[in-house]
Every structure is written in structure tokens, then in C-alpha cells.
Amino acid sequence: MAGLLTEASAPGATARERTRRSRLLRLVLARAAGSVAVLWGAVTVAFLLIQLMPGSTVDVLLARSSVTPRVRAEITAQYHLDDPLFTQYLSYLGRIARGDFGDSYVLRQPVWDAVGAQLPDTLVLIAATLLVTAAGSVVLAVLGANRRRWVQSLFAGVESLVVALPPFWLGLLLLTVFSFTLHWFPTVGASGLGGLVLPTLALAAAPTAVVAQVLREGLLRALDEPFVTTARARGIGELALRVRHVLRHALLPATTLMGWIAGSLIGGSVIIEIVFSRQGVGRLVLSAVQDKDMPVVIAVVLLAATVFVVVNIVVDVLQWLIDPRTRGTGRPA
């Protein structure tokens, strides 16, 4: 009898699994389609802003040296800089679609060679920032999820203060205290683990405070659920209750927020890399913007936008898999 029931239920289970996979595929395809528009918009805005900046691209190509009008005209024609702006835009889009980003005007090397040489340092900083943000926000949320109003107000006040601090100012403060005064960490430009600590703290401070606030609100809501009363009646300690049972109920909105933070950290690392004189994509793109080195600017903008959309697609899929409530329409709540 058990075997018959299993066989009878198998087709229904298979159909449900096919439906689940179909909805997940539709979710990914919908997000991917929207991501194409985001990438196109990022490239378009970057192209227009570079064109609107003062200065001449020909001067950048000539390293701002004085040349005869004939040589200047030849360079302009070679790079099609005398074409109408819309023609230049369409030509650039076509090259990007083929994966041809050209050479850097200033560095005189392929764009992806220039970006690839700086990318590892930025990725290490971003990975360390995400790790500190995740761990720090969980600790702060668990400790601050207290029914006493003064405890909540204390944590909320400190977190609001941290969020309000400009990252560059916090970075300078950390350098002044821990590098120049206490000599605990290396000064600007240092590599290795010691040189990573202060930049990571400066970049992770505000995201940690924001995620901690979201997590704490979720924890406080979850503490009102009936399962908490049941768990306490069974003698589970307060810390174990929050970490093992309550925390997972508050993770869904925090996961969305962490996805947004992860996607935006390439842009946020620019200031930190400058303050701490670190090598990385941030310093590269700043120099490229100052020099109107459009191939490098477009490549970095497209890289940042791609990371952002990929991370958000992954977050949407994780939400869909974790929370059954999001599966009815194929969209995250």
C-alpha cells in the first residue's frame, strides 16, 4: 500500500518540481532582461558625462603636447572625434557589444589589462568589507534587540551617528588615531593584512550600522512570535534563542540590503582607496575621469554595473528559494 501511495504521489511531486523550476527560470530571465537596460543606461550616462566635461579628448591623446594643426586633424580623424556625437555613441555601443573596449588613451595599453591589474586589490577590500559588515551587523543586532527602550535608543543613536559620518572623514580619523598617533597600523599606501584593516573599517562602518538597524527591527518583530514563547518554556537560553531561532526570521530583508551594498561597493571604494593611497579600480577610474580617458571610464562603469545586477539577481533567487511566500508570483516580496 505504501508503494502504491508513493507511485501515485510521484507524478504530482514531479509536476510541482517542474512548475517550481519554470517559475525560477522566469524570475532569472526577467531579472536578466531588466539588467540589460541597467547596463545600457550606465554606459549611456557615462558616455554623455565624459563628453560634457571640459577639455578635449584630442589633448589627452596627444598627452597635452603642442603639435601642428595638421597632426591634430589627423588624430581627430583617426579616432573619429569629428563625427557627430550620436554617431560616436552608436559606434562605441557597437564596439562594447563586441567586447572591444580599445586601449587607454593615457596608459597606452588595452583597457582590460589596465583594469585587471588594479581589480584584485579592490576585490580584496570589498570582500573584507562584506565580511566585517555581515559579522558586525549580526553582533550589533543581537546585542541591541532588547525590550528596554534606553538600550534600543543607545544603539540606534550610535548607528545613526556612524551612518552620518562621511567615509573619507572617518578614514582620516582612523589614520590619525591608529596610524599616526598609536602606530598600531601602517600608514597610507601599505599593503598586506595590516594595511587592509583601517580601509575596511572605514568602508564597512556605515553599511554595518544600516544592516544592524534592519536586523534589529526584524529580531524585535520575531521575538513576538509564538515559537519564541515555546522555546523559552523549553529552557533555551536567551542568546541561543536569538542566534539559533530568531535570527533566521530577520535575515530576509537584511539579505536584500546586503545585496545592494555588495553591488555598490566598487563605487564606494573610490574615496577610501584615495584616502589610504591604495592601489585599486577606484583610483584608476578617478584618474581616467580627470584625463577624459573614456575607454577606461566606460569599462569600469560597466564592470560596476555588471557586479551590481549580478549580485541582485543572486539575491532575488536566494529570496525565492528561502521564502515560500515569494513563489506564488515568481517575484520576491
Side-chain angles (χ1 to χ4, degrees):
M1 178 64 71
L4 293 174
L5 290 176
T6 303
E7 292 177 1
S9 61
T14 303
R16 286 194 299 271
E17 185 63 24
R18 284 199 300 265
T19 301
R20 184 172 178 233
R21 291 177 180 176
S22 175
R23 288 176 175 173
L24 179 59
L25 179 61
R26 287 200 300 270
L27 171 66
V28 174
L29 292 177
R31 293 297 184 268
S35 299
V36 172
V38 172
L39 297 178
W40 169 77
V43 170
T44 301
V45 170
F47 178 87
L48 293 177
L49 290 178
I50 290 294
Q51 295 294 337
L52 291 174
M53 287 180 60
S56 171
T57 302
V58 179
D59 291 335
V60 175
L61 291 168
L62 294 172
R64 294 181 172 84
S65 59
S66 298
V67 295
T68 63
R70 179 180 177 180
V71 173
R72 189 180 185 87
E74 290 176 354
I75 294 294
T76 301
Q78 178 182 349
Y79 285 88
H80 303 284
L81 298 175
D82 53 350
D83 291 345
L85 184 60
F86 188 67
T87 302
Q88 295 183 48
Y89 169 70
L90 291 180
S91 175
Y92 211 86
L93 279 185
R95 290 169 55 191
I96 290 176
R98 298 191 302 269
D100 179 15
F101 287 83
D103 294 342
S104 167
Y105 295 159
V106 176
L107 301 176
R108 311 298 186 189
Q109 65 179 129
V111 167
W112 287 120
D113 289 350
V115 174
Q118 303 295 330
L119 188 59
D121 292 310
T122 298
L123 292 180
V124 168
L125 177 60
I126 290 175
T129 300
L130 289 175
L131 181 62
V132 170
T133 299
S137 59
V138 169
V139 172
L140 290 176
V142 171
L143 295 178
N146 195 296
R147 292 303 180 191
R148 298 173 183 175
R149 296 295 301 176
W150 71 269
V151 175
Q152 296 183 38
S153 299
L154 176 63
F155 275 85
V158 172
E159 289 161 357
S160 299
L161 176 62
V162 172
V163 172
L165 293 177
F168 75 89
W169 187 88
L170 181 59
L172 292 174
L173 179 63
L174 292 174
L175 276 174
T176 302
V177 175
F178 295 104
S179 291
F180 301 142
T181 303
L182 298 177
H183 305 289
W184 288 359
F185 297 99
T187 55
V188 294
S191 59
L193 184 59
L196 184 64
V197 174
L198 296 184
T200 299
L201 293 178
L203 189 57
T208 300
V210 173
V211 177
Q213 289 179 341
V214 174
L215 270 177
R216 186 171 60 253
E217 292 298 323
L219 286 171
L220 290 173
R221 287 194 299 269
L223 286 171
D224 291 330
E225 297 294 330
F227 75 88
V228 174
T229 304
T230 303
R232 283 173 174 159
R234 289 187 297 188
I236 296 179
E238 190 66 23
L239 182 60
L241 171 66
R242 296 186 183 195
V243 173
R244 293 170 51 191
H245 300 281
V246 178
L247 183 60
R248 62 181 178 180
H249 290 269
L251 284 179
L252 197 60
T255 301
T256 303
L257 187 57
M258 282 292 292
W260 181 86
I261 290 171
S264 62
L265 279 179
I266 288 184
S269 65
V270 174
I271 293 295
I272 298 302
E273 288 177 351
I274 294 171
V275 169
F276 289 90
S277 296
R278 287 181 55 86
Q279 296 298 315
V281 173
R283 296 187 67 192
L284 175 67
V285 73
L286 179 64
S287 299
V289 169
Q290 292 173 337
D291 294 329
K292 293 196 69 172
D293 195 348
M294 188 168 62
V296 174
V297 174
I298 296 293
V300 174
V301 167
L302 189 60
L303 173 65
T306 301
V307 171
F308 184 84
V309 298
V310 169
V311 169
N312 278 275
I313 289 175
V314 172
V315 169
D316 284 343
V317 172
L318 289 176
Q319 285 184 323
W320 194 90
L321 294 173
I322 293 172
D323 191 351
R325 296 171 298 177
T326 65
R327 300 175 190 171
T329 60
R331 297 174 55 190

